[in-house]
């Protein structure tokens, strides 16, 4: 294939030949409670002896480089290995102020001025710490932060994961996830 036309692209304004013009960094999240691919600490685990006798504190999570127009955030913690592969919702926190930069450990275990919580898989509107069956392979807990164009406080209380995702359709601006593991 001849490339005689290659220099012509250089003369066209706005043509970057695969190079991205927008150099803004991508949405990034981190947690002091666990690293991506790391083990979740007992502070986040369920308090029952069969869970490992943890403290059931929400993990710390930070975010930066939010997409333009981000007004609020959603945090979802989901165990795809739970319920024999059907998945378990551990945490639905929404109406989070995007400007806050993150959540402290233990800060959003229940609905408050910081966050509105939706029901976990047990039907309670609170954080539910990891609790895989004893002897099971370690489960994977996917912590996802979703940037939205919805104003903080605009979503109603009590949204389950399915309904929340339906409402977010068309309002998400970006997302990023961390995966922690836990088993005992």
């Amino acid at each position: 294939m001849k490339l005689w036309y290659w220099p012509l692209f250089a003369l066209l304004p706005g043509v970057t030949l695969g190079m991205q013009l927008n150099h803004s960094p991508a949405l990034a999240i981190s947690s002091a409670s666990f690293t991506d691919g790391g083990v979740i600490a007992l502070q986040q685990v369920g308090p029952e002896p069969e869970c490992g006798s943890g403290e059931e504190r929400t993990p710390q999570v930070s975010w930066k480089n939010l997409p333009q127009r981000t007004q609020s955030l959603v945090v979802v913690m989901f165990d795809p290995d739970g319920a024999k592969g059907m998945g378990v919702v551990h945490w639905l926190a929404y109406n989070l102020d995007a400007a806050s930069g993150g959540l402290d450990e233990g800060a959003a275990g229940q609905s408050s001025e910081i966050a509105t919580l939706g029901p976990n898989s047990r039907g309670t509107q609170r954080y539910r710490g990891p609790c895989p069956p004893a002897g099971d392979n370690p489960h994977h807990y996917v912590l996802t932060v979703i940037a939205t164009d919805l104003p903080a406080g605009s979503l109603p209380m009590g949204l389950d994961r399915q309904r929340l995702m339906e409402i977010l359709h068309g309002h998400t601006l970006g997302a990023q996830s961390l995966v922690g593991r836990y088993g005992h």
Side-chain angles (χ1 to χ4, degrees):
M1 177 177 191
K2 293 184 180 183
L3 296 179
W4 60 267
Y5 54 85
W6 188 257
L8 295 176
F9 284 111
L11 300 175
L12 298 173
V15 174
T16 60
L17 299 174
M19 298 164 92
Q20 195 174 28
L21 287 176
N22 181 358
H23 296 290
S24 61
L27 170 62
I29 67 169
S30 61
S31 176
S33 300
F34 64 91
T35 59
D36 191 24
V39 176
I40 294 176
L42 278 178
Q43 289 90 333
Q44 280 71 56
V45 173
E48 300 85 3
E50 65 269 17
C51 301
S53 300
E55 298 174 28
E56 203 161 45
R57 294 170 56 86
T58 59
Q60 184 280 334
V61 61
S62 298
W63 48 80
K64 62 182 183 179
N65 305 327
L66 296 174
Q68 288 183 356
R69 301 184 346 227
T70 299
Q71 293 190 52
S72 69
L73 297 168
V74 172
V75 174
V76 178
M77 187 168 171
F78 184 76
D79 170 11
D81 305 316
K84 299 180 175 142
M86 297 303 295
V88 173
V89 174
H90 285 268
W91 192 23
L92 287 178
Y94 52 93
N95 287 327
L96 298 165
D97 180 10
S100 68
L103 294 170
D104 293 335
E105 183 177 86
Q110 298 179 18
S111 289
S112 67
E113 67 280 348
I114 296 172
T116 305
L117 267 63
N120 58 39
S121 289
R122 286 195 177 153
T124 58
Q125 293 182 348
R126 57 187 279 293
Y127 171 75
R128 177 181 173 209
C131 188
D136 213 0
N137 288 328
H139 284 208
H140 298 83
Y141 297 86
V142 182
L143 178 72
T144 304
V145 174
I146 304 167
T148 82
D149 63 2
L150 298 168
S154 65
L155 295 172
M157 291 187 69
L159 296 174
D160 66 12
R161 182 174 179 259
Q162 181 178 340
R163 183 69 182 123
L164 179 60
M165 295 304 141
E166 288 170 2
I167 291 172
L168 292 179
H169 186 75
H171 293 284
T172 60
L173 303 171
Q176 191 59 249
S177 298
L178 296 173
V179 178
R181 298 176 295 112
Y182 181 72
H184 61 107

